[in-house]
Amino acid sequence: MHSNSKLPLAVAIMGPTASGKTAAALAIAAQLPCEIISVDSALVYRGMDIGTAKPSRAELAAAPHHLIDIIDPLDAYSVAQFRTDTLRLVDEIAARGKLPLLVGGTMLYFKGLKDGLDDLPGADPDLRAALEEDAARIGWPAMHARLALLDPETAARLAPADAQRIQRALEICTLSGKPMSELLAQREQTSLPFELLSFALEPSDRAVLHQRIAQRFDVMLADSPAGNLLTEVAQLRRRGDLHPGLPSMRCVGYRQAWEYLDGSIDYATLRETGIIATRQLAKRQLTWLRSMPERVVLDCLGSDPASAMLAQIRTRLG
């Protein structure tokens, strides 16, 4: 679908977890010919349905979906892969005369798509091993504090237990002698081959979003015909080749369920830490969103945010 400009139009629907992104996208897809591109680093994994709040079969059937169930939990999916796949998909969807809807909460993917990929130093196995040793001795929160001294901007958007990203940021600081945030800021702006209209579903009342998060986590833990989060993680564990250090098993909810099944935490702690981790994720997502000045902010707690999006999309399409 072409916008008022010469470039085809794509629409981003961003927001924190439990903000109603899927429902809004499907409401738009019911009114306009659309295809949905998932912008979610957890939905890429096959066999991880309940803890990722993957769209149901009925929802998936309501409109074509892309970048869901594309890799095994043993594998990794990078921002670079996402960008390559999405540029191709937007081109193909627009060529079919449909509107690409980019829907999700993985802000790093949105940023990588819009700004292009960085020219950061590659991985250094020896340095990584040294950082792992330091972390084993003092813990990742202390490593996060170390990063805060070297690169406060990057540290502010990472959780103190986000081992993978803390390690990478420290690695970049050490190898380049510069904060990762500075290197990212120096990156050349990349112009997209399409016009991107970005909506952000953000809560007018953070407490209500927290209630939604708790309710959704409780639904994940409750028995259903498809099982629950614990049966899903138990099935993944039975494969024998997965472990808690993998990006897939570090997803919110999966890490806590793994610890429960290991016997290291009880059920009450599983529920409490799972909800807290999800709230922390939502907070980081909202921090990312605030750094995107071009977004159109809509209240995710409002009665019908999808209608407000539709009106603006139709105006842009002309």
Side-chain angles (χ1 to χ4, degrees), residues 54-242:
K54 198 168 281 179
S56 66
R57 282 185 185 175
E59 289 170 333
L60 290 170
H65 283 70
H66 303 275
L67 305 188
I68 294 178
D69 291 336
I70 57 169
I71 63 168
D72 186 83
L74 194 59
D75 300 323
Y77 187 69
S78 68
V79 179
Q81 287 170 290
F82 168 79
R83 190 173 197 276
T84 300
D85 289 342
T86 299
L87 290 174
R88 173 181 53 81
L89 285 165
V90 168
D91 188 49
E92 291 171 358
I93 293 165
R96 289 192 282 269
K98 294 185 176 181
L99 178 67
L101 290 182
L102 283 63
V103 183
T106 300
M107 301 306 159
L108 197 60
Y109 283 6
F110 279 117
K111 188 167 177 60
L113 175 67
K114 193 170 67 68
D115 295 347
L117 299 176
D118 50 61
D119 189 21
L120 299 176
D124 183 307
D126 293 337
L127 177 56
R128 287 201 169 180
L131 290 169
E132 291 275 6
E133 285 176 20
D134 286 353
R137 192 176 69 253
I138 63 175
W140 283 109
M143 299 292 279
H144 182 266
R146 181 189 294 180
L147 177 63
L149 295 173
L150 297 168
D151 186 354
E153 189 179 326
T154 299
R157 62 177 177 77
L158 298 182
D162 193 343
Q164 183 184 22
R165 291 190 176 92
I166 293 168
Q167 182 187 50
R168 177 63 178 144
L170 285 168
E171 179 182 43
I172 288 166
C173 287
T174 306
L175 292 173
S176 69
K178 294 180 179 179
M180 184 169 86
S181 54
E182 183 183 323
L183 293 175
L184 294 177
Q186 290 170 355
R187 184 170 54 190
E188 281 185 35
Q189 284 287 89
T190 306
S191 58
L192 288 170
F194 53 87
E195 182 188 353
L196 186 62
L197 173 58
S198 297
F199 295 105
L201 289 168
E202 300 178 27
S204 53
D205 184 346
R206 195 80 64 94
V208 178
L209 182 69
H210 289 170
Q211 288 171 5
R212 279 192 186 181
I213 286 169
Q215 288 164 359
R216 189 158 83 162
F217 199 74
D218 283 337
V219 168
M220 289 176 184
L221 291 175
D223 288 324
S224 74
N228 62 25
L229 176 59
L230 289 173
T231 58
E232 184 170 83
V233 177
Q235 189 172 349
L236 290 165
R237 283 163 61 97
R238 279 197 293 272
R239 288 178 35 156
D241 58 347
L242 302 178

Side-chain angles (χ1 to χ4, degrees), residues 19-33:
S19 59
K21 299 180 292 293
T22 297
L26 291 173
I28 291 167
Q31 300 292 322
L32 293 170

Side-chain angles (χ1 to χ4, degrees), residues 1-20:
M1 282 194 175
H2 279 264
S3 64
N4 294 329
S5 75
K6 294 284 193 290
L7 295 174
L9 179 69
V11 172
I13 302 177
M14 309 179 290
T17 186
S19 59

